[in-house]
Amino acid sequence: MAKNAIKNVTIIGGGLMGSGIAQVTAQAGQNVTLVEVNGDILKKTEASIATSLARVAKKLYKDKPSDGEKFVAETKARIRGTTDPVEAVKQADLVVEAIIENMDIKHKLFKQLDAAAPPTALFASNTSSLSITEIASVTNRKDKFGGLHFFNPVPVMKLLEVIRTSNTSDETYQAFMEWGKSIGKTCITCKDTPGFVVNRLLVPYMAEAVRMYERGDATAKDIDIAMKLGAGYPMGPFELADYVGLDTTSFILEGWCKKMPENPLFKPLESMNKLVAEGKRGVKSGEGYYKYQKK
């Protein structure tokens, strides 16, 4: 595939990550097909993209609201929603998967997509914790497969981790890097290693903070204050865990612990698992290590 040939991007999954990826791709002038499981979810996704675009327009076109309206209308016009993944990939140059973190479900999806997409189409997963090599194993385009790991909220966070497996070709890797830049991201490269760069450092850091709290070394609040004022972090580890989602953090640790049981950093966290079992998953549920006012 020639450089800058990515014009049609299909995104599977319209949750927080998928909708954000769709938005930044459409903002960059590319055509987006967004796939969700049913029409109701699709409507909600399109509404959340419209709200997010209005925020961007307000910032970019402060003094020219009419230009802002044009920007929103043009960007929205580049996004087409569908509930049919097979039809959605037929014209795709790039397919980005952003669905549930479940290997079997991802395998089932990619088998379908591999059979339907053009042989030139590049495939990527936005997984934050599963092996890209393992996800790609069910396809016949392992050389055209890699990881594109975005961060939440996608329209705001500048980083894109580009994950290269031992099978990813140089051409595919270069195309991923070019595409990342084209949608305004700063790209870094990482091998297909658990958690890539950010999560491999961040999740054990949050886990160690929780262990300190569980031992009674310090309170959650004091640990958060210490890391913000002593290390210059914008959020403390407990605020961050609540923001990411305690269920997500626990799920990542569980997966790593199964793969690398000898590593003490990945051992399960009693207090976190208890909160998750009680439905206290952090900011999104209104309570985690802290309580939150529902907006």
Side-chain angles (χ1 to χ4, degrees):
M1 184 179 282
K3 267 190 184 178
N4 304 327
I6 294 174
K7 299 274 187 288
N8 300 310
V9 181
T10 298
I11 292 149
I12 316 283
L16 266 181
M17 300 307 289
S19 62
I21 300 164
Q23 181 185 322
V24 295
T25 306
Q27 275 176 219
Q30 296 162 26
N31 302 315
V32 176
T33 304
L34 183 59
V35 183
E36 250 306 345
V37 287
N38 65 52
D40 287 347
I41 297 176
L42 211 45
K43 273 194 190 116
K44 279 182 193 157
T45 300
E46 284 162 354
S48 82
I49 291 172
T51 306
S52 179
L53 278 172
R55 271 200 299 270
V56 175
K58 215 172 179 181
K59 261 190 191 163
L60 291 180
Y61 302 96
K62 244 192 321 233
D63 308 321
K64 293 180 178 174
S66 60
D67 287 3
E69 283 167 26
K70 188 179 173 224
F71 161 81
V72 171
E74 284 177 355
T75 305
K76 275 163 70 177
R78 291 189 201 105
I79 303 172
R80 178 177 77 87
T82 179
T83 55
D84 183 350
V86 168
E87 181 270 331
V89 298
K90 287 193 170 155
Q91 307 295 318
D93 301 318
L94 169 65
V95 178
V96 182
E97 167 270 312
I99 64 166
I100 189 167
E101 293 280 62
N102 177 303
M103 189 62 80
D104 293 340
I105 295 171
K106 287 187 196 289
H107 275 171
K108 195 178 163 197
L109 173 74
F110 274 115
K111 266 185 197 164
Q112 257 190 319
L113 302 181
D114 192 36
T120 52
L122 305 181
F123 280 13
S125 174
N126 176 59
T127 182
S128 59
S129 62
L130 299 176
S131 158
I132 302 291
T133 307
E134 201 179 327
I135 297 170
S137 67
V138 296
T139 72
N140 293 310
R141 60 182 85 213
K142 296 174 189 69
D143 59 322
K144 293 185 174 68
F145 207 117
L148 291 170
H149 183 225
F150 289 82
F151 293 82
N152 182 34
V154 178
V156 177
M157 300 293 270
K158 280 292 199 194
L159 184 67
L160 175 60
E161 289 180 324
V162 176
I163 313 307
R164 190 173 186 168
T165 75
S166 56
N167 300 311
T168 309
S169 71
D170 289 345
E171 199 180 353
T172 299
Y173 165 70
Q174 287 303 336
F176 283 155
M177 293 294 278
E178 291 289 328
W179 181 73
K181 281 181 207 142
S182 80
I183 59 166
K185 298 300 175 195
T186 299
C187 301
I188 64 133
T189 309
C190 184
K191 284 183 179 175
D192 185 19
T193 180
F196 316 133
V197 175
V198 174
N199 281 346
R200 184 62 178 266
L201 296 174
L202 211 52
V203 172
Y205 154 70
M206 290 190 284
E208 280 299 280
V210 171
R211 289 184 189 106
M212 282 194 85
Y213 158 77
E214 287 178 350
R215 288 195 302 266
D217 296 345
T219 65
K221 192 179 177 190
D222 279 355
I223 294 169
D224 278 355
I225 290 169
M227 292 313 290
K228 286 190 285 190
L229 301 187
Y233 285 20
M235 292 169 105
F238 290 91
E239 289 168 325
L240 186 61
D242 274 358
Y243 179 75
V244 168
L246 302 185
D247 51 339
T248 305
T249 308
S250 176
F251 174 83
I252 292 170
L253 277 172
E254 201 180 296
W256 292 355
C257 187
K258 272 182 196 157
K259 277 215 151 125
M260 294 166 278
E262 72 291 343
N263 193 327
L265 289 174
F266 303 153
K267 292 276 179 278
L269 304 166
E270 209 177 298
S271 64
M272 189 178 284
N273 289 345
K274 184 175 182 286
L275 286 167
V276 172
E278 290 166 359
K280 296 168 184 172
R281 294 170 294 139
V283 177
K284 60 188 166 190
S285 68
E287 187 176 348
Y289 282 101
Y290 298 107
K291 282 187 174 159
Y292 301 89
Q293 291 292 317
K294 288 230 173 161
K295 284 174 188 171

